[in-house]
Amino acid sequence: MYTEQEIHNIVEKQRAFFRTGKTLDVSWRIEQLKKLKAAVLAHEEEFEAALQEDLGRSKVEAYLCDVGPIIVEINETIKGLRRWARPETHYSGLMCFPSIFTKVYKMPYGVTLIISPFNFPILLSLGVLLASIAGGNTAVIKTSSKSAACTKALKKFIAETFDEEYIALIDGGHDIADLCLAERFDKIFYTGSPNVAKHVMAEASKNLTPVALELGGETGNWCLVRADADIKDAARKIAFFKLCNAGQICININQIAVAEEIAEEFLSALKAEFIRQVGEQPEKNEEYPKLITASVYEKCEKLSDQYQDRIYFGGTGVKETQKFSPTILYPIDKNDDIVQHELFCPILPVVPFKDSQVDEILDVMAQREHPLALYIFTNNKKWANRVMQTQQYGGGCINEVCVHMMVKGVPFNGTGHSGMGAYHGEWGFREFTHPQTVLTGKTHLNLPLREHPYGGKNEKTKMKLLKMFEK
């Protein structure tokens, strides 16, 4: 258990190290990223074992969702960092004459705090850490107490790889998180729920610390399946995604809106896909992940009981292993309570709508809090593109699920209740650096245009020149 003084000492030690200027060297940062990559590869089996213990992940799913993406992004960052960090040169403009050029430097914030969640404990700790390193910062990582095995593995990993004055990991519960938030950091990156994010922002505001938030969205992510969609393709992809991490994913589908003209055919195909991928009793399948805590399992049981008369598939579980089957609820009204908050579990409500009245369901989505993701299945690409360009959400896919976040060079995050800021690749570098504009003045040929007097015989000439320079 950490004390307030111990945490303060870690932060001050990192602040002193940052002031040495060592992290400003881009070559040094690249060396740290290479060290991080080598360590991840060396600890791969430990991470996979920890993910199995905490979340019941199979080896393949652990690598697919946590370990592999870190390696990919480290490689992308090492390759692009020199270019991203290069100072920009801008033409200053006639208003600044005789100072012709201005530089924009990408400067690190300093000492950063990374608060990571339980659902992807390796990815969302080290994935954010690599962005902080790329930006030239030091970092304190506060991991989730719910994913205890992963936290233990990460703590060992960080201690073996980096000095505490540069990178440190702090474990513990909410009380320890609050002790971290009480410190003055230069940047905070939090991943988790909107409610906790409000607390993080409130604490950060006391020191006016800039914050990046990656949140799931207050009312969850929608998936829209229109009457002209390829039903089998949609069902296959949706089933895969809902099975992944037992639905405990911030970009996962919270509820499906399906055209009632194809609802029965779609539900049959979705059920068949769940059975094909994990069997008729997924909760007894060794490869199917478990829920993180007993309380989450009990929440699933309670919701299942509440909507017992509308269970189309699933609704069963094994309490001892905390595995709850993917559960289709149908029909669910668009105003039912279950589709007005993030579920973060394998329960999947399905809301029917008339395909000719699709605009009404889009209005419902728009009126609720901005989701982190939006997924549309349809053969009408023109309509789909228009929807994706007019709805507000973090990111999404047309006729696909989740893989938008795997694309190199593009940002990931939401807006409002689904987050603020963005990261991955160059966007992560930008999130952890501040652009500083520097103009170098001249000691000769300086014009008196900006200086007093402004009136009298000078007024007409100065006004004429000012308006000319504004063009």
Side-chain angles (χ1 to χ4, degrees):
M1 182 69 72
Y2 288 85
T3 66
E4 181 180 0
Q5 188 60 49
E6 286 172 335
I7 293 172
H8 178 74
N9 290 343
I10 291 171
V11 174
E12 288 305 304
K13 193 185 297 183
Q14 290 201 1
R15 197 171 302 285
F17 178 71
F18 178 75
R19 285 178 183 149
T20 66
K22 196 169 185 178
T23 68
L24 298 179
D25 183 354
V26 175
S27 294
W28 188 84
R29 298 183 212 173
I30 290 172
E31 287 304 311
Q32 307 315 303
L33 290 168
K34 289 178 178 177
K35 186 189 294 186
L36 179 65
K37 176 183 173 180
V40 170
L41 292 171
H43 289 76
E44 179 186 329
E45 291 186 1
E46 290 177 50
F47 288 155
E48 289 167 355
L51 287 164
Q52 166 64 32
E53 185 175 340
D54 284 333
L55 291 154
R57 298 256 199 92
S58 68
K59 184 175 181 178
V60 172
E61 188 170 325
Y63 191 87
L64 173 69
C65 297
D66 266 81
V67 180
I70 295 170
I71 301 301
V72 171
E73 193 162 346
I74 292 174
N75 289 339
E76 179 188 358
T77 304
I78 290 172
K79 184 178 179 180
L81 186 55
R82 292 191 190 279
R83 176 168 46 86
W84 305 341
R86 191 179 299 139
E88 298 175 12
T89 301
H90 295 259
Y91 171 59
S92 302
L94 291 172
M95 288 286 284
C96 301
F97 184 86
S99 303
I100 305 299
F101 298 110
T102 295
K103 294 281 188 181
V104 177
Y105 299 99
K106 288 74 173 284
M107 296 298 292
Y109 280 102
V111 184
T112 64
L113 172 63
I114 298 166
I115 305 177
S116 61
F118 73 82
N119 60 327
F120 291 93
I122 309 298
L123 175 65
L124 297 179
S125 295
L126 302 185
V128 181
L129 173 63
L130 75 88
S132 179
I133 290 173
N137 304 279
T138 70
V140 174
I141 307 168
K142 167 60 184 74
T143 50
S144 174
S145 58
K146 292 179 181 178
S147 47
C150 286
T151 287
K152 183 179 179 181
L154 280 167
K155 190 167 187 179
K156 175 175 175 282
F157 169 89
I158 293 295
E160 290 177 359
T161 311
F162 301 108
D163 292 332
E164 190 179 65
E165 65 180 6
Y166 178 44
I167 310 292
L169 188 143
I170 292 175
D171 54 0
H174 296 305
D175 54 338
I176 300 299
D178 281 341
L179 290 179
C180 290
L181 289 169
E183 292 293 324
R184 183 176 70 81
F185 284 92
D186 301 303
K187 176 80 174 185
I188 297 174
F189 194 110
Y190 166 78
T191 305
S193 71
N195 282 337
V196 177
K198 293 174 186 177
H199 174 65
V200 171
M201 287 192 75
E203 292 301 302
S205 70
K206 295 175 182 178
N207 291 308
L208 296 179
T209 302
V211 173
L213 306 172
E214 198 232 292
L215 316 173
E218 192 75 31
T219 49
N221 307 310
W222 283 88
C223 176
L224 181 63
V225 182
R226 293 205 66 180
D228 65 350
D230 184 321
I231 294 172
K232 288 186 177 180
D233 179 70
R236 177 183 180 181
K237 291 170 179 174
I238 291 168
F240 143 73
F241 197 24
K242 199 63 182 178
L243 291 171
C244 189
N245 211 32
Q248 299 166 108
I249 306 177
C250 56
I251 59 169
N252 215 321
I253 297 164
N254 204 67
Q255 56 268 326
I256 304 173
V258 62
E260 60 183 35
E261 293 89 339
I262 61 161
E264 287 299 329
E265 185 181 356
F266 171 76
L267 289 168
S268 177
L270 183 59
K271 176 182 175 180
E273 276 299 323
F274 278 135
I275 293 171
R276 183 183 72 84
Q277 294 184 35
V278 290
E280 293 190 6
Q281 294 181 298
E283 67 275 17
K284 295 182 180 179
N285 187 321
E286 288 185 5
E287 288 190 356
Y288 181 58
K290 67 178 182 177
L291 298 169
I292 189 66
T293 61
S295 62
V296 176
Y297 180 89
E298 289 164 6
K299 183 188 80 170
C300 284
E301 274 194 325
K302 186 177 178 181
L303 282 171
S304 184
D305 290 343
Q306 186 179 344
Y307 290 88
Q308 186 69 39
D309 60 330
R310 283 177 273 182
I311 294 177
Y312 183 89
F313 174 74
T316 57
V318 178
K319 192 171 186 178
E320 291 75 20
T321 60
Q322 291 171 199
K323 291 190 177 188
F324 200 89
S325 65
T327 301
I328 305 170
L329 303 180
Y330 180 84
I332 299 296
D333 186 81
K334 63 182 181 294
N335 294 315
D336 278 353
D337 179 68
I338 197 169
V339 294
Q340 306 230 26
H341 63 272
E342 186 184 22
L343 297 173
F344 219 67
C345 70
I347 292 178
L348 188 55
V350 180
V351 179
F353 69 94
K354 285 186 171 61
D355 197 65
S356 61
Q357 299 173 359
V358 66
D359 287 346
E360 291 184 15
I361 202 75
L362 288 173
D363 284 342
V364 169
M365 296 179 193
Q367 288 166 14
R368 294 180 183 169
E369 299 297 348
H370 303 326
L372 184 56
L374 174 62
Y375 307 104
I376 293 177
F377 287 87
T378 178
N379 281 322
N380 189 338
K381 301 290 181 59
K382 185 177 179 180
W383 175 86
N385 285 327
R386 185 173 70 251
V387 170
M388 298 303 265
Q389 292 174 53
T390 53
Q391 292 285 114
Q392 290 179 291
Y393 54 96
C397 302
I398 299 170
N399 294 327
E400 190 50 277
V401 293
C402 79
V403 292
H404 64 288
M405 68 169 292
M406 301 179 185
V407 179
K408 291 182 181 180
V410 299
F412 172 71
N413 210 357
T415 176
H417 281 244
S418 56
M420 61 176 65
Y423 77 121
H424 287 183
E426 184 175 2
W427 295 85
F429 170 80
R430 294 182 191 178
E431 189 62 55
F432 279 94
T433 54
H434 170 67
Q436 292 181 184
T437 300
V438 178
L439 180 146
T440 302
K442 300 291 185 181
T443 58
H444 56 281
L445 297 179
N446 288 286
L447 301 179
L449 180 63
R450 64 187 175 185
E451 301 163 1
H452 285 280
Y454 295 142
K457 64 181 182 179
N458 298 295
E459 181 177 355
K460 188 174 182 180
T461 302
K462 290 193 175 188
M463 286 298 292
K464 185 177 180 179
L465 288 170
L466 285 170
K467 289 186 177 181
M468 181 180 73
F469 290 165
E470 287 171 356
K471 294 179 181 178

